[in-house]
Amino acid sequence: MTGWFPFNDQRGIALPFVLAVSVLLFILLTAALSQLFRSGHTVSAEWKTLRAQYAAESGLARIQNHLCTSRKNITPITTRINGIQAKTQVEGRARNAIRLVSVARGRGIKQTIRVEVDRETCQIREWSR
């Protein structure tokens, strides 16, 4: 009893099946590799940003130290850490505070941090980006 059923004669079914599986595997592999590369770029960018932030904060700490010890006019300070350069300077002065800005630059990255330092205690009162 052979009845009409399209898959009774299985000659030639291997090629379409192998092609379908190959296409599916190719799509899945391409998606996985794309996600892997995107993830790697994201981690690299986050690491560069973090390093730039540390360089900017280091520059702020250096100029804050100069402000606390010398009390005279402070010239801009350049700090270099691991290929990132931070330029830190006095942005403005108020009656009881000094505003500082530190801009760190590296390969394709820029990080800016502003702080307000109390003139009397030399402590940072406010952070901003």
Side-chain angles (χ1 to χ4, degrees):
M1 188 162 139
T2 57
W4 187 85
F5 192 68
F7 296 117
N8 280 344
D9 185 14
Q10 295 183 1
R11 290 177 295 174
I13 195 73
L15 180 60
F17 182 74
V18 169
L19 285 175
V21 169
S22 297
V23 167
L24 183 63
L25 286 175
F26 176 75
I27 290 171
L28 291 175
L29 183 64
T30 302
L33 287 175
S34 174
Q35 181 64 28
L36 179 69
F37 286 124
R38 249 184 286 149
S39 175
H41 288 294
T42 301
V43 168
S44 176
E46 287 175 359
W47 180 245
K48 286 179 185 179
T49 302
L50 189 61
R51 286 178 41 207
Q53 181 176 343
Y54 289 152
E57 288 177 6
S58 295
L60 287 170
R62 287 183 64 205
I63 205 164
Q64 183 183 10
N65 183 43
H66 287 299
L67 282 171
C68 294
T69 57
S70 72
R71 298 282 180 190
K72 56 184 173 181
N73 285 341
I74 302 295
T75 59
I77 295 174
T78 301
T79 306
R80 288 182 181 86
I81 298 176
N82 295 329
I84 296 177
Q85 179 176 327
K87 183 176 179 183
T88 309
Q89 60 190 1
V90 175
E91 189 176 45
R93 296 176 187 267
R95 196 173 112 182
N96 58 353
I98 300 171
R99 287 184 311 277
L100 305 174
V101 62
S102 185
V103 180
R105 297 173 193 259
R107 291 183 183 171
I109 198 80
K110 178 182 172 186
Q111 187 75 13
T112 303
I113 300 176
R114 288 181 169 80
V115 296
E116 190 173 283
V117 177
D118 188 278
R119 282 185 182 235
E120 297 300 318
T121 63
C122 254
Q123 299 296 316
I124 295 176
R125 295 196 294 182
E126 185 180 330
W127 289 80
S128 64
R129 290 182 182 224

